[in-house]
Amino acid sequence: MPRVSRGVTKRHRHKKVLLAARGFHGASHRSYKWAREALIHAWSHAYRDRRDRKGDFRRLWIIRIGAACRQSGMTYSRFMWGLKKAGIEMDRKMLADLAVRDAPAFEKLVGVASQQLTP
């Protein structure tokens, strides 16, 4: 059986890893061994953080809605409960956008929510 020289394959694999590690510090962008190790960590963090980003944005939207509600004299939880009772189904992303960009429209929603809460 003939012997297989792996030079070309190995060089291509190493080159691919080192190209992916561009911008890393120290030996992490020079040495194949450390570049591979750094990439394993970088890719695992990127995968995790793509999922975490969704929760981060949800928290940001809730903070923005809560701040706009407090300016109108209502709490976030009572506002959301009032909207639910009124049958208004808007997600937090849209509500936060209204709170930031269109304050009069958000005030109307606060009014509708407060009407639903008063007996």
Side-chain angles (χ1 to χ4, degrees):
M1 185 181 258
R3 146 176 135 51
V4 178
S5 60
R6 302 251 181 225
V8 175
T9 311
K10 182 177 180 179
R11 187 165 48 253
H12 283 302
R13 188 176 68 244
H14 285 205
K15 191 173 182 180
K16 191 165 54 174
V17 167
L18 289 172
L19 276 173
R22 284 175 60 189
F24 288 8
H25 292 286
S28 296
H29 76 280
R30 271 184 256 120
S31 166
Y32 169 75
K33 178 180 177 180
W34 300 116
R36 189 186 64 206
E37 187 73 23
L39 280 172
I40 289 169
H41 288 110
W43 287 335
S44 67
H45 294 318
Y47 178 83
R48 178 199 65 209
D49 292 340
R50 277 194 299 275
R51 276 129 196 91
D52 286 351
R53 186 189 316 146
K54 288 140 183 77
D56 292 341
F57 270 103
R58 183 182 170 94
R59 279 188 283 280
L60 173 67
W61 298 330
I62 289 172
I63 288 167
R64 286 180 175 175
I65 295 166
C69 286
R70 280 192 300 278
Q71 285 181 341
S72 303
M74 183 179 268
T75 63
Y76 169 80
S77 59
R78 291 188 53 78
F79 172 69
M80 293 305 282
W81 175 235
L83 287 183
K84 188 174 179 88
K85 283 179 80 172
I88 299 172
E89 293 183 13
M90 284 183 77
D91 61 356
R92 286 161 182 82
K93 182 179 179 180
M94 293 297 116
L95 287 171
D97 192 54
L98 272 180
V100 171
R101 298 180 196 276
D102 193 4
F106 190 80
E107 287 287 333
K108 288 181 183 175
L109 283 175
V110 170
V112 168
S114 63
Q115 281 179 350
Q116 290 297 317
L117 295 173
T118 53

